[in-house]
Amino acid sequence: MPSFERWDLAEASKVVTARASEQGATLEIFHELAERFGFVDRAIVPVVAEALNLSRAEVYGTLTFYHDFRDHPPGRCTIKVCRAEACQSRGALAVSEELFRKLGVGWHGTTDDGAITVEPVYCLGLCANAPAVLVNDEPLGDLRVETVDELIEEARS
Amino acid sequence: MSAAFANENHQVADGPVKVYVPIDAAAIAAGSNKVARALAAAAGERIAMVRNGSRGLFWLEPMVEVVTPRGRIAYGPVKAADVEGLLAAGMLEGAEHPLRLGRPEEIPYLAKQTRLTYERVGIVDPLDIADYRAHGGFLGLRNAIGMTGEAITEQVTQSGLRGRGGAGFPTGIKWTTVRKAEADQKYIVCNADEGDSGTFADRMVMEGDPFVLIEGMTIAGLAVGATEGYIYIRSEYPHAVRTMRRAIEIARADGALGGSVLGCGRAFDLHVRMGAGAYICGEETSLLESLEGRRGVVRAKPPLPALQGLWGKPTAVNNVVSLCSVPWIMTHGAKAYADYGMGRSRGTLCIQLGGNVKYGGLIELGFGVTLGEIVDDFGGGTITGRPVKAAMCGGPLGAYFPRDLFDTPFDYEAFAAKGGLVGHGGVVVFDDTVDMADQARFAFHFCETESCGKCTPCRIGATRGRETMEKIIAGRDIERNLTLIEDLCVTMTDGSLCAMGGLTPVPVKSAMTHFPEDFVPAERKQAAE
């Protein structure tokens, strides 16, 4: 279970400085920030631009292009639910709807208690064990509407 | 490590029993980590546990294998709750039990296959480089070290290997272009952004036999004169990322990577870079943009990446399975590889069978096997027990094939002739409850979500296509809207910059052509029934 640090621009800037000399480091920096803080505050854009000698527009463009770099903190646990064809063929839609109903959230939503965020993902490579999800980094397959409670319990634990 | 206790497949008397519990992400999804914990707790010192890759028989995962004097004996699917009972029944001696599957290599699903690229997956300890060597690892690289770049490239060309990522471009020809380019620096880039739904071959080999990818990329480096390589892995594969990073460290410490590859005096080193959830980065020029730290926006070609790729330098961009096939070719020779297959599709294809199918898994076979043999003979029909209605072949940009086309052999040209594509070899099975109009809508929706936005046909076309499909599904102006979809598909096919917009019409058109009944309004459908 990841526990994210509170966003701190000074600490985040240290990450940028440490990796600034790597070739094409932008994504690597964002990944490191996302792993540590759970998201990438847009306030980092001018810092990265300055350190990597890029325009702020380019850094902002890169940051916002990718699905992985959120602009706000996620819940304590993120469930990534596969929406792609193999999972569809085995009832993924019904599973995600049941999950939404039980958690009271939709795609990209976080439960009121800050425990769980639900995000869509297109294929986890678990297509013979569909429908599948990642609970943080732990894969879980062969989900059914009847086992959604177990999934939520796993995510809350 | 555990090799100290037992040799290859035979148990040394009185030592702890070697037990294999897969650590492949799909096995974990089925509960293999829980089984491993239960086994460690219950059997303790009596066992030496190896976390192997998966054999790719996913309905049997978690599949536990025990090394006995009679070879490896498999049990599966094992749940954590089964562990006590299995131990009590004498699993560590290979004893009978309802979950006992016998020797894994004799399970028909595996016995019928031709495992070349996947010869070690599920068998070796993925992060034990000595185990890799003991199973033929680095023999191809050793052969390549004694050859000129031209000779290596010639071998790969002769083998007939074509890009397994989807495009099917001859690997040897791509390498020749890179090799002949003059530059102070060249790169090998492995495209491990396996985003197609229904595919998991790249993931399985990276998690189950990572050194074969390292070896394949090193051979590519020697062939074209590149000293540095990047593996771009999608972030949806955290386990593959971790395994590849550790394998690279191990290979460096071993001397298989670094300033002098296996002591040959030539350098090659590798880096792993992680994607960030953008499907389009599986397109090679978009991948290069992303590697350089930018938006994953497609580049216009020419220039070809082979001449101006990563940081403007000549770059061979190859799929994981293509690169992992190279060590086998360099070990056994081009002819041995080319002896498998049909027509212009030589060697083996790693078919990934998933979706609504009883027996899903990885099936490596020479080209030529038919779609029907895969879905019916290997797959055993749907898991819901309902009739198979369609199989989507080649990912979200591939065609939906009806039963009428199940006699199509896996061959790049044969699939193209039927309006489909082999792609990366994924097959997703659907039963008769699937609504093909909705699948057509989803194809546009997916393109809308994942388009890089550079070209208009893809960026706008996907959105208009999704909206128009919604109108059709709602029963509004069906005839006129279907004409609009036809027209839009022509524009996207002819006008898009890359395969994302260019091939999104493939699933749409195949759904319309083969399943027209799903595109009539609901009330008319009901009246007809």
Side-chain angles (χ1 to χ4, degrees):
Chain A
M1 169 121 329
S3 58
F4 299 118
E5 290 174 38
R6 249 184 103 84
W7 177 262
D8 178 329
L9 187 60
E11 282 299 313
S13 302
K14 281 187 205 162
V15 171
V16 179
T17 317
R19 308 197 67 157
S21 62
E22 283 175 39
Q23 230 175 346
T26 320
L27 261 78
E28 293 291 287
I29 289 170
F30 292 154
H31 270 305
E32 194 172 328
L33 294 174
E35 211 164 285
R36 194 154 147 197
F37 302 105
F39 72 110
V40 184
D41 193 299
R42 293 337 187 206
I44 203 69
V45 169
V47 180
V48 175
E50 174 80 23
L52 273 63
N53 196 25
L54 299 168
S55 74
R56 276 178 292 168
E58 179 166 354
V59 176
Y60 180 80
T62 304
L63 180 57
T64 52
F65 181 84
Y66 296 96
H67 300 299
D68 281 5
F69 307 131
R70 305 179 190 92
D71 62 357
H72 58 277
R76 289 185 291 280
C77 175
T78 298
I79 305 179
K80 289 187 179 173
V81 183
C82 180
R83 294 186 74 184
E85 291 87 342
C87 286
Q88 291 168 16
S89 78
R90 275 167 79 170
L93 184 65
V95 168
S96 59
E97 278 172 358
E98 179 72 2
L99 188 63
F100 293 158
R101 202 179 59 76
K102 290 223 154 104
L103 294 178
V105 299
W107 294 120
H108 304 287
T110 300
T111 53
D112 290 341
D113 60 358
I116 299 172
T117 298
V118 182
E119 290 196 338
V121 64
Y122 293 93
C123 198
L124 296 164
L126 307 169
C127 319
N129 303 77
V133 299
L134 276 186
V135 179
N136 288 329
D137 273 358
E138 184 87 3
L140 213 60
D142 296 300
L143 296 169
R144 298 290 171 262
V145 170
E146 305 80 58
T147 58
V148 164
D149 280 334
E150 288 167 43
L151 166 65
I152 293 172
E153 200 175 304
E154 176 115 4
R156 284 191 190 277
S157 67
Chain B
M1 38 209 300
S2 34
F5 299 116
N7 68 5
E8 165 48 4
N9 275 328
H10 298 280
Q11 181 58 30
V12 172
D14 300 333
V17 179
K18 200 168 178 178
V19 177
Y20 289 84
V21 183
I23 196 163
D24 176 280
I28 298 175
S32 73
N33 280 350
K34 293 183 182 105
V35 171
R37 282 195 291 272
L39 256 173
E45 310 258 292
R46 284 193 289 153
I47 61 167
M49 198 189 302
V50 176
R51 302 302 304 271
N52 57 334
S54 171
R55 302 253 191 181
L57 284 53
F58 290 119
W59 74 99
L60 295 176
E61 292 289 359
M63 186 166 104
V64 175
E65 294 176 37
V66 181
V67 176
T68 75
R70 301 181 305 284
R72 279 156 82 151
I73 300 294
Y75 295 83
V78 177
K79 296 282 167 215
D82 299 324
V83 165
E84 290 284 353
L86 278 162
L87 289 171
M91 175 183 81
L92 298 183
E93 291 83 48
E96 280 305 324
H97 187 277
L99 293 178
R100 188 180 189 273
L101 302 163
R103 293 163 60 94
E105 54 276 13
E106 288 169 7
I107 298 171
Y109 201 90
L110 258 184
K112 283 192 284 182
Q113 298 190 33
T114 306
R115 290 269 173 117
L116 310 183
T117 305
Y118 285 71
E119 60 181 339
R120 278 175 296 265
V121 177
I123 294 173
V124 295
D125 179 341
L127 290 171
D128 183 349
I129 202 163
D131 204 15
Y132 181 66
R133 280 203 170 82
H135 287 82
F138 295 126
L139 291 179
L141 177 56
R142 288 211 177 276
N143 288 341
I145 284 170
M147 295 161 69
T148 62
E150 190 177 1
I152 300 170
T153 310
E154 183 56 25
Q155 278 283 307
V156 174
T157 305
Q158 290 301 323
S159 75
L161 179 65
R162 294 167 69 175
R164 299 287 189 254
F169 188 81
T171 307
I173 293 176
K174 191 184 276 183
W175 287 13
T176 302
T177 310
V178 181
R179 186 179 63 77
K180 288 186 173 164
E182 298 278 342
D184 54 349
Q185 177 72 53
K186 298 178 188 178
Y187 296 101
I188 306 297
V189 169
C190 172
N191 184 345
D193 196 49
E194 182 178 53
D196 287 357
S197 170
T199 64
F200 42 81
D202 297 353
R203 182 187 63 67
M204 268 184 72
V205 73
M206 288 190 288
E207 291 174 1
D209 191 18
F211 294 117
V212 78
L213 178 56
I214 293 173
E215 183 179 353
M217 291 184 76
T218 309
I219 295 170
L222 295 176
V224 307
T227 53
E228 218 177 330
Y230 286 86
I231 308 173
Y232 185 92
I233 309 177
R234 61 202 298 260
S235 61
E236 292 85 347
Y237 285 179
H239 300 79
V241 170
R242 280 199 288 273
T243 305
M244 278 317 309
R245 284 193 167 137
R246 284 193 56 203
I248 288 169
E249 283 167 23
I250 293 165
R252 267 192 209 128
D254 175 271
L257 282 176
S260 175
V261 168
L262 297 178
C264 78
R266 281 184 282 171
F268 191 75
D269 207 353
L270 276 175
H271 314 276
V272 170
R273 285 282 176 95
M274 192 161 79
Y279 173 79
I280 192 60
C281 291
E283 196 284 331
E284 62 175 0
T285 62
S286 160
L287 186 154
L288 294 173
E289 286 291 308
S290 185
L291 267 181
E292 292 181 16
R294 285 195 290 274
R295 292 165 72 87
V297 172
V298 172
R299 295 179 187 171
K301 289 191 271 193
L304 292 174
L307 297 172
Q308 288 180 45
L310 190 59
W311 290 299
K313 303 293 183 186
T315 304
V317 186
N318 291 118
N319 168 255
V320 174
V321 177
S322 313
L323 288 161
C324 291
S325 301
V326 169
W328 196 94
I329 292 165
M330 295 306 293
T331 303
H332 302 272
K335 189 180 173 300
Y337 191 74
D339 281 346
Y340 295 99
M342 71 173 276
R344 285 170 51 218
S345 306
R346 309 312 310 177
T348 56
L349 178 67
C350 302
I351 297 163
Q352 303 123 78
L353 180 60
N356 192 344
V357 68
K358 242 182 232 156
Y359 309 121
L362 183 105
I363 304 161
E364 182 176 358
L365 278 172
F367 281 93
V369 61
T370 67
L371 178 57
E373 288 173 83
I374 294 298
V375 174
D376 297 323
D377 300 353
F378 278 91
T382 64
I383 200 164
T384 43
R386 303 184 65 94
V388 173
K389 177 163 171 178
M392 175 182 234
C393 306
L397 305 177
Y400 286 98
F401 274 13
R403 244 193 196 287
D404 295 353
L405 294 180
F406 277 19
D407 58 349
T408 312
F410 273 93
D411 164 75
Y412 293 108
E413 281 68 38
F415 260 70
K418 301 277 174 68
L421 44 123
V422 169
H424 185 46
V427 176
V428 176
V429 181
F430 291 82
D431 72 14
D432 61 351
T433 60
V434 67
D435 175 356
M436 298 309 293
D438 197 49
Q439 295 309 115
R441 181 201 57 81
F442 178 79
F444 281 122
H445 163 81
F446 183 67
C447 184
E448 182 184 7
T449 310
E450 298 297 331
S451 172
C452 82
K454 181 159 178 165
C455 72
T456 317
C458 177
R459 184 183 67 246
I460 310 284
T463 307
R464 290 294 100 84
R466 195 253 308 148
E467 291 167 355
T468 310
M469 274 312 307
E470 282 170 358
K471 288 179 196 161
I472 292 169
I473 290 166
R476 285 165 53 193
D477 267 339
I478 293 182
E479 296 301 322
R480 279 182 60 209
N481 280 319
L482 281 174
T483 310
L484 256 180
I485 294 276
E486 296 265 1
D487 193 56
L488 185 60
C489 284
V490 173
T491 307
M492 290 179 74
T493 305
D494 294 346
S496 298
L497 204 51
C498 81
M500 177 93 230
L503 296 180
T504 289
V506 173
V508 175
K509 292 285 295 264
S510 63
M512 287 165 65
T513 307
H514 303 305
F515 308 94
E517 66 280 9
D518 283 9
F519 289 78
V520 299
E523 56 270 27
R524 219 192 295 166
K525 230 187 290 184
Q526 277 168 359
E529 274 167 11

